[in-house]
Amino acid sequence: MIDRRNSAWHPAHSHLQAVLQRGRFAVTAEIGPPRGANIAPIRRKARLLRDWVDAANVTDSQSAVVRMPSWAGCLVAMQEGVEPVMQLQCRDRNRIALQSDLLGAAALEIPNVLLLTGDHPRFGDHPDAKPVFDLDSIQLIWTARTMREQRKLLSGRNLKPAPDWFIGAVENPFAPPLNWRAERLGKKIAAGAQFCQTQFIFDVKIFEQFMAQVRDLGLDKRCFILAGVGPIKSLRALEHMSREVPGMYVPDQVVRRLRGVPEDRVGAEGLALCTEILGQVKNIPGVAGVHVMAVNWEDAIPEILERAGVGPRRKPATAVVQRS
Amino acid sequence: MAPCSVRMAPATTDLPRPFRPRVTALAMNALHRVLDRRNPLWYAVAVLLLKMAPLYRLFTAVEHLVKGQLFGCRMCGQCALPVTAYACPMTCPKQLRNGPCGGVGVDGSCEVYPGMRCVWLIAYERADAEGRIQDMRRLQRPIDQRKWGQSSWVNYWLGEDEGLWTSEADIEHEPLLLSSSAGPRS
């Protein structure tokens, strides 16, 4: 079995990979690009996160809603000294566009990519769009590894020079079949995934069972696993997350807890809950880091990390800006 | 946000939606042994069909009819059924070839059609019941989009879909997507 976590294949400039390889608990967060031609919100979010995270994902038209592209957001994050993770999904691109965007990321020295299938257009602001899904997430990860290690495109044509990224995947431990989710992660690892960020964890017990299966399969030795957490800001957000976001599992006890406090206290309770969950999951064997998703509430991230005792990062001054 | 505010007429287009197979995997595995490509008879049939276009069209139409009724077949021309417990992955709205997405509902529903069961969950349950869960571990290579509408039986007998998926043991190792000698594809 190959331990790709420590393989020779890593971009010299991925700070995230270096942190994980050193065995330090890694922290990533999420930056959602704006709907509009304005980079100011990305700058603001990146500055906010700079001292707190090892890298930040820039999402790729998440929930099938049109946003500024991930690569553009990644460039802005880099200018602000935040190492980006470029998300790339298969919903909007065929294999030509996917490989093209991967090349662009490597050429611009975006060191990390997160490769996913993507939400169906049905959920977004253009339900009338043509869903592409020419490749699935596993095939995309496999393609990226092929481009990097075999120096070839899917067509078999040679690539010169070969691109390089730290390749990431996602997994949802809460979606049926629960007994097969670790195996599915195993497929992604076999395809080339070196790190994995999970879906929001609101049920630590199910996540523990997932991690037990991951360890049984030896996957935590082949891939860095970052546990996904995030705060719920309001009852509206709770409603949205538990009903409308695909693949989101919000158990009843969480709903009861947030509904049990006065409405103006829901945000504080959601933040406390997130901190508690982070505190629990970071001690589960095999968890190499945490991925904090605070959609439209990035300001809460430093407080969550501080209260859970995992921040700030105080990165050495290797700002990506200086290298360009 | 509501997915769509206009009232939609009933769909007449052939959009993929989950389909529960109407035959058991056990029966189909038995039939597959009869239709095995190692039998030279089938290779001869395939070559003959390729030479006679009207016959090929008739054969393909019958294949579509039969597999459409049994599996919701959409004629991708490169059949994955033997390793998905005969639940067709092309009936998944995302046409995923490598297992369920992360959007499966807690009750097992498809994220796109909440009233329907995820076709990959059906595949998993059928494979589990048959003791062939290891089939789900195979990595499925990207399909050739040019083959839509072709007969997957003929393609199978001719060996054209060889390498569509990896052997199950490859998971532990790291299978190659392209064979190392792969040159530019025509």
Side-chain angles (χ1 to χ4, degrees):
Chain A
M1 260 189 243
I2 300 170
D3 179 2
R4 196 157 290 279
R5 299 177 314 163
N6 299 308
S7 72
W9 298 104
H10 60 83
H13 48 291
S14 173
H15 171 75
L16 175 61
Q17 188 178 26
V19 165
L20 287 164
Q21 284 181 344
R22 269 187 250 128
R24 270 183 58 198
F25 193 77
V27 178
T28 58
E30 204 162 272
I31 295 177
R35 178 168 43 222
N38 177 12
I39 59 173
I42 303 179
R43 281 203 194 288
R44 193 185 68 75
K45 291 173 186 178
R47 280 189 200 135
L48 184 79
L49 297 174
R50 181 162 47 201
D51 297 331
W52 292 88
V53 300
D54 297 302
N57 292 31
V58 182
T59 52
D60 181 13
S61 295
Q62 76 274 25
S63 308
V65 170
V66 174
R67 304 267 172 179
M68 248 173 62
S70 180
W71 65 263
C74 286
L75 291 188
V76 178
M78 284 160 82
Q79 287 169 4
E80 294 298 329
V82 172
E83 177 170 301
V85 178
M86 185 179 93
Q87 294 195 187
L88 188 67
Q89 40 76 6
C90 303
R91 175 193 62 234
D92 304 332
R93 303 170 183 83
N94 66 9
R95 62 192 80 183
I96 298 173
L98 288 167
Q99 294 177 98
S100 166
D101 282 354
L102 280 171
L103 283 181
L108 293 166
E109 296 195 353
I110 294 170
N112 316 295
V113 289
L114 187 83
L115 308 176
L116 353 95
T117 300
D119 295 321
H120 196 274
R122 181 184 99 81
F123 298 97
D125 57 352
H126 293 74
D128 47 352
K130 178 178 171 63
V132 181
F133 301 118
D134 184 24
L135 304 183
D136 64 30
S137 56
I138 290 174
Q139 291 163 347
L140 177 58
I141 292 164
W142 209 3
T143 300
R145 174 156 70 81
T146 302
M147 291 169 73
R148 186 179 65 184
E149 296 174 20
Q150 285 189 277
R151 298 160 191 266
K152 281 181 196 287
L153 294 168
L154 271 180
S155 64
R157 278 177 186 264
N158 290 321
L159 276 171
K160 224 172 166 182
D164 203 356
W165 335 259
F166 187 38
I167 300 176
V170 295
E171 188 47 76
N172 183 357
F174 309 99
L178 296 188
N179 281 335
W180 197 69
R181 287 288 157 179
E183 290 247 14
R184 180 171 179 268
L185 175 59
K187 286 182 80 166
K188 292 189 169 185
I189 293 168
Q194 297 167 287
F195 72 99
C196 166
Q197 295 169 328
T198 76
Q199 175 65 289
F200 280 87
I201 300 164
F202 290 113
D203 189 323
V204 177
K205 211 173 198 118
I206 294 180
F207 182 66
E208 272 175 342
Q209 289 161 4
F210 168 76
M211 284 306 298
Q213 290 173 357
V214 163
R215 291 193 302 272
D216 285 347
L217 293 167
L219 301 178
D220 58 319
K221 301 277 182 278
R222 301 168 68 194
C223 175
F224 298 108
I225 301 189
L226 284 78
V229 298
I232 296 174
K233 192 179 185 177
S234 61
L235 290 179
R236 217 179 117 241
L238 173 69
E239 190 70 11
H240 174 69
M241 283 173 106
S242 51
R243 285 183 198 277
E244 288 162 45
V245 181
M248 188 78 74
Y249 172 56
V250 186
D252 287 344
Q253 72 258 29
V254 168
V255 175
R256 275 200 301 274
R257 177 167 165 183
L258 293 178
R259 287 197 184 284
V261 297
E263 196 155 351
D264 60 332
R265 293 266 313 139
V266 173
E269 194 64 23
L271 203 143
L273 175 72
C274 177
T275 309
E276 283 167 33
I277 292 172
L278 206 174
Q280 290 167 27
V281 296
K282 77 174 183 185
N283 294 320
I284 297 174
V287 172
V290 68
H291 177 57
V292 190
M293 294 164 277
V295 185
N296 294 324
W297 200 18
E298 285 85 351
D299 306 69
I301 293 174
E303 190 182 339
I304 292 166
L305 291 169
E306 180 146 58
R307 282 167 63 175
V310 285
R313 315 306 297 164
R314 286 191 206 90
K315 258 165 67 167
T318 52
V320 192
V321 211
Q322 296 163 358
R323 222 174 331 103
S324 66
Chain B
M1 184 186 299
C4 196
S5 55
V6 291
R7 179 167 296 178
M8 303 283 271
T12 53
T13 50
D14 184 24
L15 291 172
R17 50 180 70 206
F19 191 96
R20 184 182 286 278
R22 296 204 167 102
V23 277
T24 65
L26 193 70
M28 292 318 296
N29 285 331
L31 181 63
H32 189 71
R33 282 192 287 278
V34 176
L35 297 173
D36 197 309
R37 76 163 137 235
R38 282 167 296 191
N39 183 342
L41 169 70
W42 299 122
Y43 183 82
V45 169
V47 170
L48 185 74
L49 284 168
L50 272 193
K51 280 188 186 149
M52 305 172 75
L55 213 55
Y56 180 89
R57 280 198 295 275
L58 179 68
F59 184 84
T60 308
V62 172
E63 177 178 335
H64 192 177
L65 194 71
V66 172
K67 286 169 71 181
Q69 286 300 312
L70 297 181
F71 313 111
C73 172
R74 306 181 60 250
M75 296 301 280
C76 71
Q78 41 225 300
C79 200
L81 290 175
V83 290
T84 61
Y86 289 88
C88 176
M90 304 315 275
T91 68
C92 159
K94 296 179 178 176
Q95 306 193 346
L96 302 183
R97 299 279 286 197
N98 275 292
C101 74
V104 185
V106 175
D107 58 352
S109 56
C110 170
E111 82 166 32
V112 180
Y113 299 102
M116 300 171 118
R117 193 158 181 81
C118 163
V119 70
W120 270 109
L121 199 52
I122 295 172
Y124 172 82
E125 287 157 351
R126 286 164 62 98
D128 198 22
E130 292 288 314
R132 293 189 57 159
I133 208 75
Q134 72 278 12
D135 277 344
M136 300 272 293
R137 302 179 83 189
R138 299 168 194 271
L139 291 191
Q140 297 273 347
R141 294 194 169 82
I143 63 165
D144 182 339
Q145 305 284 359
R146 294 171 295 188
K147 291 189 173 165
W148 282 92
Q150 294 182 1
S151 161
S152 71
W153 281 334
V154 169
N155 285 341
Y156 165 70
W157 289 328
L158 292 174
E160 287 210 0
D161 59 3
E162 196 113 28
L164 260 181
W165 51 79
T166 62
S167 72
E168 58 197 77
D170 275 354
I171 295 293
E172 315 268 294
H173 302 100
E174 291 204 337
L176 293 179
L177 178 50
L178 309 167
S179 67
S180 48
S181 59
R185 202 162 57 186
S186 57

